[in-house]
Amino acid sequence: MKLDLPRLESVYEMAHDGAQLAATRFTNSLEIDTRVRNTRIAFGTPPTSAADERSVAVAIDLDGFLDGRCFVEFDESIVATIQRRLVGGRFDEPDPALGRSALREVGAMLNNGFVDGWADALDADIDVSPPSIESIGTPQRQVTASEPLELSFWSQIDTVDHSRAFTLCFVPTADCVERLVSTDAGERAIEASALRGLDTLLENGVASMSDTVTAMTGIEVETPTNRLEFISIDRLPARVSNGRYRSVAFSFHDTPSGYLLFLFDHDGASALVRELFGEPSHNGAMARDAIQELANVMTSSLLDGWANVLETTIDHSTPAYTDDMGAAVIDPLVVGLSERQEFAFVFSFQLRAIDTSIELDVYTIPDEADLLRALRLLETKPIEPVAQPPSFTPTEATPTAFAVGDLLESDHP
Amino acid sequence: MTNALEDVLADESDETLVRAGEYRVVPSGASLYAYGLGASVAIAICGPDSMGGLAHALLSRPDGAMRRGAGTFVESAIREMLRELIEAGAGYGSCEAKLAGGATVFQLEGLDPDTGGQTVATARQELSALDVPVVATAVGGQRGRCVAFDTAADELTVATSDGETTQL
């Protein structure tokens, strides 16, 4: 099966429009102003939500041109608000059954709004089942794996005070994926197996990067989130927090080309530098150089792995460091890519140290034309996932003595 | 949201976010804000009777093949905001503009370091062509910015991550 990028872009817009319609209905019904923060298409097994485990989902099954499961995940705070708006004041004591009924009703309204957005665009009939309330993570497990290409549509909807209200998701079946995005041929067509290969390549790259961090710093890390997504470039900044970050950016060239961005939150960066240098604390320039050097080695580790598999050469730029708002830091990359393309495959992951507060977000944004060339190469190269390392059991004396200071000595004679 | 922006918006209760690639025109008294301005540019147009519009534009002009919204481009965002303001009762010659953004947050091989400057220049050209004077700017430099536009006070507040706040 081949994935057609123009069709993928079209269904992305349908999903976004469906989410807008659902948000509008929510706003009109409950008088809580909401907006779609972003829409993304995730590849691979549908991810579990970032929502709190105390949150709930309302799911419906779809049949017809759209076939699969559609569900809305409500954050706990908005559940309470919905129930207060719909049943509050009628009873002295909260009525759980009435609360569930209200939630089911709102969930059905949102799911149906989302589906109506698609149905209008597709001019197709779509049957929907009655809604059911489920625990978070359950709805996506109810859909049979959609080989040869698993994908899911996600839209995050925020309230006007910028907190997350709910997330809409559609997980199509294999037949539905084929109906929506497949093609026989085309300049911008991607073999599904190559996209799966890319996903594996990226995951292997993350494993290699994690090993590099541990080797350099002695700090064991995990990667709680790790995803390949397709997103409108204009909506990419909304994926990035606007908190202040110590950031390192790289451009890389050849097959593929694109940008890599490392965002260290301030507390995490300080903790990292403390781990590297120990107490007493370091000066600002040393901290900057340590972070820059760590990002530089991680980038080499990632790109060398890709180049080995693809049998190409991938060069990367010198690091560009800045300390600024996350959304403002990704903005120049978005602007640069915007001149050439409207959508992007984005691979993002979080690296988190076990037992410390160190957290690092990494975004890889390839240029589409060069990514397509890389994917052509992957069509003929089966890639095996690397073995997952055994789970880490922290010990009291975790070594942190790798001498990043040694790396810095050449910069600071 | 940054602390700087939170401070800027501390007294606002009805602010509306203008995301990258969007523009909004609001009636009297409403507040608009945008964050994550690196190379991209915020264009605030103040109309009479406290009407106003804010765009968060990424690029100067559309390429022929692109299907993106008017807010993505400086040229179309300015024209659409002005059209909506005039439809709402603003007269030609009664609007003024303020600009923020267009910074070089970092220099990176493969990225034109002056993209932001060029986008600001396009905004100035387009506004001049439409007889809208640019009365204040906070553009260029190396810091990212966020802005809050209080249409009632006709005031654009610009904040950077290092805590610097400017009223335009």
Side-chain angles (χ1 to χ4, degrees), chain A residues 49-370:
Chain A
S49 168
D52 191 285
E53 61 184 15
R54 289 168 297 183
S55 307
V56 293
V58 176
I60 57 173
D61 291 306
L62 308 181
D63 194 13
F65 192 86
L66 283 192
D67 188 10
R69 286 212 112 192
C70 187
F71 55 93
V72 53
E73 293 179 341
F74 292 102
D75 272 35
E76 191 186 23
S77 60
I78 203 80
V79 168
T81 305
I82 289 169
Q83 293 180 337
R84 267 201 309 276
R85 289 280 167 110
L86 293 185
V87 302
R90 294 189 199 174
F91 302 94
D92 292 336
E93 294 294 325
D95 182 330
L98 206 58
R100 286 175 65 83
S101 169
L103 194 64
R104 193 180 291 113
E105 184 185 326
V106 173
M109 176 187 73
L110 294 173
N111 281 318
N112 289 333
F114 181 65
V115 173
D116 286 350
W118 286 73
D120 291 347
L122 293 165
D123 194 22
D125 290 329
I126 301 163
D127 295 327
V128 301
S129 73
S132 59
I133 296 181
E134 301 176 8
S135 58
I136 284 291
T138 305
Q140 48 269 62
R141 289 196 293 271
Q142 304 298 317
V143 184
T144 311
S146 56
E147 290 282 352
L149 182 65
E150 283 187 274
L151 53 82
S152 50
F153 299 83
W154 296 80
S155 292
Q156 184 185 323
I157 288 84
D158 289 353
T159 60
V160 75
D161 68 355
H162 328 299
S163 57
R164 189 203 328 256
F166 53 89
T167 304
L168 275 162
C169 179
F170 169 46
V171 185
T173 60
D175 287 347
C176 185
V177 168
E178 191 148 357
R179 273 197 299 278
L180 289 172
V181 298
S182 72
T183 185
D184 293 330
E187 271 185 26
R188 296 177 66 219
I190 299 170
E191 195 63 58
S193 61
L195 204 56
R196 286 201 309 277
L198 176 68
D199 201 21
T200 307
L201 186 66
L202 295 168
E203 284 180 14
N204 290 354
V206 172
S208 167
M209 264 191 180
S210 302
D211 291 346
T212 302
V213 171
T214 302
M216 278 186 76
T217 65
I219 301 168
E220 294 286 346
V221 294
E222 58 184 1
T223 51
T225 60
N226 173 358
R227 52 174 80 107
L228 176 63
E229 295 172 343
F230 185 76
I231 189 167
S232 158
I233 283 186
D234 289 355
R235 292 168 195 141
L236 185 52
R239 293 280 288 131
V240 181
S241 157
N242 202 39
R244 192 168 167 177
Y245 290 92
R246 294 177 183 269
S247 315
V248 189
F250 297 86
S251 55
F252 54 94
H253 314 281
D254 209 322
T255 309
S257 66
Y259 303 106
L260 258 170
L261 180 63
F262 297 77
L263 297 176
F264 296 83
D265 74 77
H266 262 234
D267 289 345
S270 300
L272 175 67
V273 174
R274 266 200 310 275
E275 291 282 340
L276 293 173
F277 296 108
E279 303 292 351
S281 66
H282 45 277
N283 66 42
M286 282 179 73
R288 184 196 65 203
D289 287 348
I291 288 165
Q292 204 164 260
E293 187 55 37
L294 182 63
N296 196 34
V297 176
M298 289 170 74
T299 296
S300 296
S301 159
L302 181 75
L303 298 180
D304 287 351
W306 294 2
N308 284 340
V309 171
L310 295 168
E311 296 175 10
T312 62
T313 304
I314 308 172
D315 297 323
H316 68 84
S317 68
T318 52
Y321 175 91
T322 189
D323 180 354
D324 213 320
M325 297 173 276
V329 170
I330 204 166
D331 175 88
L333 309 183
V334 167
V335 169
L337 277 173
S338 276
E339 293 170 348
R340 302 189 290 277
Q341 60 194 70
E342 295 170 60
F343 291 84
F345 285 93
V346 177
F347 181 66
S348 62
F349 61 95
Q350 189 178 63
L351 217 63
R352 192 165 63 195
I354 299 168
D355 276 353
T356 76
S357 61
I358 299 167
E359 272 188 11
L360 162 64
D361 293 311
V362 185
Y363 293 84
T364 308
I365 317 167
D367 174 275
E368 184 190 298
D370 290 332

Side-chain angles (χ1 to χ4, degrees), chain A residues 18-32:
Chain A
Q20 296 272 24
L21 190 56
T24 301
R25 290 185 184 178
F26 184 86
T27 298
N28 292 342
S29 298
L30 283 94
E31 297 179 344
I32 299 170

Side-chain angles (χ1 to χ4, degrees), chain A residues 6 9-10 13 35-38 158 160-162 233-235 237-238 240-244 249-251 253 259-261 316-325 327-343, chain B residues 1-2 5 9 13 15-22 24 33 35-41 56-59 63 65-69 72 103 105-112 115-116 118-119 142-146 159-163:
Chain A
E9 292 169 2
S10 295
E13 293 296 353
R35 297 177 63 192
V36 182
R37 181 184 177 91
N38 59 48
D158 289 353
V160 75
D161 68 355
H162 328 299
I233 283 186
D234 289 355
R235 292 168 195 141
V240 181
S241 157
N242 202 39
R244 192 168 167 177
F250 297 86
S251 55
H253 314 281
Y259 303 106
L260 258 170
L261 180 63
H316 68 84
S317 68
T318 52
Y321 175 91
T322 189
D323 180 354
D324 213 320
M325 297 173 276
V329 170
I330 204 166
D331 175 88
L333 309 183
V334 167
V335 169
L337 277 173
S338 276
E339 293 170 348
R340 302 189 290 277
Q341 60 194 70
E342 295 170 60
F343 291 84
Chain B
M1 204 183 298
T2 64
L5 185 56
L9 296 172
S13 57
E15 73 278 7
T16 299
L17 173 61
V18 180
R19 294 195 186 284
E22 292 183 349
R24 297 221 165 215
Y33 77 96
Y35 68 82
L37 296 157
S40 58
V41 176
H56 182 171
L58 298 170
L59 299 172
D63 182 300
M66 288 189 172
R67 303 169 296 177
R68 299 156 85 168
T72 302
V105 177
F106 49 71
Q107 300 218 11
L108 189 62
E109 190 183 326
L111 279 183
D112 181 348
T115 298
Q118 291 162 18
T119 312
Q142 296 178 312
R143 305 299 304 185
R145 295 178 173 92
C146 46
T160 59
S161 61
D162 54 5

